[in-house]
Amino acid sequence: MLNKDQFADNHFIRTIIEEDLQSGKYPAIQTRFPPEPNGYLHIGHAKSICLNFGLAYVYDGKCNLRFDDTNPEKESQEYVDSIKEDVKWLGFEWSGEPRFASDYFDQLFDYAVGLIKEGKAYVDDLSAEEMREYRGTLTEPGKNSPYRERSIEENLELFYKMRDGEFADGSKTLRLKIDMASGNVNMRDPVIYRIRRAHHHNTGDKWCIYPMYDYTHAASDAIENITHSLCTLEFESHRPLYDWVVNNVPVPSEPHQYEFSRLELLYSITSKRKLNQLVSDGHVSGWDDPRMPTISGMRRRGYTPEGLRLFAKRVGISKSENIVDMSVLEGAVREELENTSPRLMAVLNPLKVTLTNFSDGQTQSRRAAFHPNREDLGEREIPVSRTIYIEADDFAENPPKGFKRLTLGGEVRLRHGYVIKCDEAVKDADGNVVELKCSIDHDTLGKNPEGRKVKGVIHWVSAEHAAEIKVRLYDRLFTVERPDAVRGENGEYLPFTDFLNPESMQEITAYAEPVAKNLPAESRWQFERLGYFVTDRKDHKPEAPVFNRTVTLKDSWQGK
């Protein structure tokens, strides 16, 4: 359930919206989330989703979901479907049906014809390379194309022929006639149409010319009566072009663009192109690999919508640099899981323990709550048998100072069970401890032993009753904070793939309480003393459980 306290407050965009509503500039706000369907959404998009949909929710407005699908060669229905699913999973509903910029292609074409008739656009024959030469630099003005002064009649004829497929791909473009000497390079006669014969996921083969993003985005916002068009800071220099389009085509409204800083998550990347490279080159298993910063990957990892919304609130909205350590994201997820995840015991690195004085008639199991503060989650029976498993590192022959777990001759309490004493350590031919023989103090079930204190408590599972589970231990995908910003000796950027963490995933066989035998996919649990885990949404089967580690109980990443 959403509530209005879940979203970032006291930021400059909220101040602007409140002033606009109080002044009567708008009766209600209309926002939009406008992804390009050329990849799966990532953590940066999650922040934008929470901003756009959250503002509409807080101020009782509406938020559209619009796909800015102007580049058919890189777009697909798979990406469209994944984006819809991600937005819904995060807890949001868009206004009306999903929209596509391609739904407006006829309108955009008519607007372009109108610009030509007004002498504000022309057909250009310059190649892409020639266009770059004519554009100038940040310090030098550009120069006019030799085709800039074509007559309106000739431009109209050529533009219709472009639409009708009479010219080769890349041979002509339609450009706005603005100012080649502008200090803003984006205003130097930007291209608004190019010829590209490519099948479009939404319009099929109807078009062989496609509008450019800046032109399409501005016009689409205006067509949809967007009041506050929110985007990241790299589009700040595009705002004059955005305004030019809105002011020079007959659109029904005049939206305003506001920019905020994009999220940079350390030990990660948020470039769709680079994420696509990870998938294409086989460095990860897919866009939804639990190590990926994609929403689908984080969902499969076990992150919750509530955890991601809490993270988005904590990082906030501003124009200042928004560099966030991975621990902030993990902390938000951990905090939300703490209150919602039932507990069970699992042993990841098992050491066999034989309870030498186990007695069927005397040794008893015990019931325990699934959560210490959530009676509504119920309880379960924790069975015990002659053979149990404990974590191998919960035993030490030569314990370090302060060690409170099991030692030879020492005692420890089994979580939700008895106090046991280690009487013997059995070793293999190489001197490795392979089994412990321990005795139970049968008078300690649910009460403290008499005359002595036992400080250590360890988790365990009954070997006879345990569920054998597959566990995937995930860590950070990269070993450096900014894998795509590391320079070599000559100042060149090194390939970000050089910094992939070879230990980012380890798959092991482990043992868990019998409750783990019949769980549905995406079932989230705390493994006591170990961390938070989730049954994998793709590979898990109730009869063959697969758990992904979502996050450890504490921030203990070895890279720090």
Side-chain angles (χ1 to χ4, degrees):
M1 284 290 294
L2 298 181
N3 65 69
K4 295 185 178 182
D5 293 333
Q6 289 181 327
F7 302 101
D9 48 17
N10 301 322
H11 58 77
F12 74 99
I13 297 176
R14 287 191 67 161
T15 301
I16 291 169
I17 288 174
E18 288 173 3
E19 290 174 352
D20 288 345
L21 291 174
Q22 289 171 5
S23 69
K25 182 177 181 179
Y26 304 110
I29 70 164
Q30 175 77 60
T31 60
R32 82 290 172 270
F33 175 62
E36 298 173 66
N38 59 1
Y40 282 58
L41 300 183
H42 54 64
I43 185 66
H45 294 112
K47 174 184 173 181
S48 182
I49 289 169
C50 290
L51 175 63
N52 281 287
F53 284 93
L55 287 172
Y57 181 76
V58 168
Y59 293 104
D60 300 317
K62 294 179 179 180
C63 182
N64 294 344
L65 173 62
R66 181 179 75 239
F67 296 94
D68 278 348
D69 51 350
T70 60
N71 192 357
E73 291 175 321
K74 295 184 177 181
E75 297 163 353
S76 74
Q77 189 61 41
E78 175 191 353
Y79 298 141
V80 170
D81 294 341
S82 73
I83 290 168
K84 291 179 184 177
E85 184 174 357
D86 287 346
V87 172
K88 285 186 175 180
W89 179 76
L90 277 172
F92 300 103
E93 292 290 336
W94 48 84
S95 176
E97 291 296 315
R99 293 161 168 82
F100 295 86
S102 54
D103 293 338
Y104 312 135
F105 278 0
D106 287 296
Q107 240 171 312
L108 295 170
F109 180 84
D110 291 341
Y111 290 158
V113 169
L115 290 169
I116 293 172
K117 289 179 178 178
E118 293 174 1
K120 296 177 180 177
Y122 64 97
V123 174
D124 195 5
D125 292 7
L126 291 180
S127 67
E129 185 177 341
E130 291 170 330
M131 208 174 288
R132 280 192 293 271
E133 292 174 1
Y134 274 73
R135 185 172 289 126
T137 67
L138 293 175
T139 57
E140 297 177 354
K143 56 183 179 179
N144 290 346
S145 166
Y147 306 99
R148 196 175 195 265
E149 300 307 321
R150 278 174 163 155
S151 68
I152 289 174
E153 292 73 23
E154 184 180 5
N155 281 318
L156 284 173
E157 181 182 359
L158 290 172
F159 189 50
Y160 282 120
K161 287 182 176 180
M162 286 171 61
R163 179 198 63 183
D164 296 339
E166 295 188 25
F167 303 119
D169 285 15
S171 62
K172 295 185 189 302
T173 59
L174 183 69
R175 300 177 68 178
L176 296 178
K177 189 184 291 188
I178 303 180
D179 181 8
M180 289 302 295
S182 172
N184 186 334
V185 176
N186 294 302
M187 299 296 282
R188 295 180 186 175
D189 289 11
V191 173
I192 63 168
Y193 270 91
R194 80 282 201 197
I195 304 170
R196 181 167 297 175
R197 287 169 176 80
H199 184 81
H200 192 283
H201 73 97
N202 192 35
T203 60
D205 297 316
K206 176 180 178 180
W207 296 91
C208 66
I209 58 170
Y210 289 98
M212 300 296 286
Y213 177 85
D214 281 341
Y215 168 68
T216 306
H217 181 78
S220 299
D221 278 353
I223 290 169
E224 295 179 9
N225 295 299
I226 301 303
T227 56
H228 300 79
S229 177
L230 311 178
C231 58
T232 46
L233 274 174
E234 65 264 33
F235 290 98
E236 187 171 32
S237 62
H238 296 246
R239 195 198 316 155
L241 177 54
Y242 182 99
D243 293 341
W244 191 99
V245 172
V246 168
N247 292 328
N248 284 275
V249 296
V251 288
S253 70
E254 294 185 12
H256 192 282
Q257 176 177 301
Y258 300 93
E259 305 88 15
F260 60 95
S261 57
R262 68 178 298 155
L263 173 67
E264 182 178 353
L265 187 65
L266 298 181
Y267 295 99
S268 186
I269 54 172
T270 53
S271 157
K272 279 189 194 173
R273 179 180 60 80
K274 291 173 182 174
L275 292 173
N276 191 26
Q277 183 181 336
L278 289 176
V279 175
S280 301
D281 293 350
H283 295 296
V284 294
S285 62
W287 286 95
D288 65 347
D289 187 298
R291 294 166 291 179
M292 291 278 273
T294 55
I295 295 175
S296 57
M298 292 186 290
R299 174 181 179 178
R300 193 173 169 195
R301 177 85 167 250
Y303 290 10
T304 62
E306 296 82 4
L308 291 183
R309 294 200 301 265
L310 177 59
F311 169 72
K313 178 177 181 177
R314 286 181 174 171
V315 299
I317 301 296
S318 71
K319 283 183 174 287
S320 58
E321 205 170 37
N322 196 201
I323 301 172
V324 181
D325 191 80
M326 182 73 76
S327 61
V328 179
L329 172 58
E330 292 169 339
V333 171
R334 187 182 290 115
E335 182 174 320
E336 196 280 323
L337 289 172
E338 163 65 26
N339 299 319
T340 58
S341 298
R343 275 60 165 158
L344 63 79
M345 292 189 291
V347 174
L348 304 187
N349 185 17
L351 175 61
K352 178 182 176 181
V353 175
T354 299
L355 302 175
T356 54
N357 61 338
F358 178 89
S359 169
D360 285 327
Q362 184 182 13
T363 309
Q364 300 175 22
S365 61
R366 189 179 176 195
R367 297 191 68 79
F370 276 121
H371 194 290
N373 304 315
R374 294 279 304 275
E375 289 186 7
D376 58 303
L377 293 179
E379 58 182 24
R380 82 282 194 193
E381 187 82 14
I382 302 178
V384 62
S385 60
R386 180 175 297 276
T387 302
I388 65 173
Y389 296 126
I390 68 170
E391 294 288 350
D393 61 4
D394 277 341
F395 171 79
E397 275 192 287
N398 302 299
K401 186 177 181 180
F403 189 77
K404 295 180 181 179
R405 288 163 282 170
L406 197 57
T407 61
L408 199 58
E411 288 186 307
V412 73
R413 179 177 290 281
L414 299 177
R415 176 80 166 138
H416 306 302
Y418 295 95
V419 170
I420 63 171
K421 179 180 180 181
C422 182
D423 302 308
E424 181 185 351
V426 181
K427 299 181 180 181
D428 63 14
D430 297 324
N432 300 310
V433 176
V434 294
E435 180 185 355
L436 302 179
K437 293 189 176 181
C438 299
S439 53
I440 302 171
D441 183 342
H442 280 98
D443 292 328
T444 56
L445 188 64
K447 59 183 180 179
N448 292 322
E450 294 185 7
R452 65 195 190 279
K453 288 185 177 181
V454 177
K455 294 183 179 180
V457 179
I458 64 173
H459 62 278
W460 59 283
V461 293
S462 163
E464 180 182 330
H465 305 91
E468 184 176 300
I469 62 175
K470 183 182 292 183
V471 177
R472 294 167 180 164
L473 302 173
Y474 290 104
D475 210 328
R476 301 182 187 187
L477 188 55
F478 295 97
T479 58
V480 297
E481 289 186 342
R482 297 182 177 182
D484 54 355
V486 180
R487 294 180 184 269
E489 293 180 0
N490 299 321
E492 77 285 4
Y493 283 109
L494 298 177
F496 72 98
T497 51
D498 286 358
F499 306 101
L500 286 165
N501 180 8
E503 299 178 356
S504 61
M505 197 275 278
Q506 178 188 6
E507 187 171 281
I508 61 173
T509 298
Y511 298 94
E513 287 185 50
V515 69
K517 292 178 181 177
N518 294 292
L519 299 177
E522 290 193 89
S523 180
R524 299 181 182 90
W525 295 82
Q526 183 197 100
F527 289 0
E528 296 198 41
R529 299 178 67 225
L530 297 175
Y532 295 96
F533 294 74
V534 66
T535 49
D536 188 85
R537 65 188 300 245
K538 288 178 71 172
D539 299 333
H540 170 80
K541 296 181 178 62
E543 67 277 10
V546 179
F547 283 85
N548 299 328
R549 182 170 67 189
T550 304
V551 67
T552 56
L553 286 182
K554 295 180 180 179
D555 180 18
S556 58
W557 188 62
Q558 68 244 12
K560 290 194 168 186

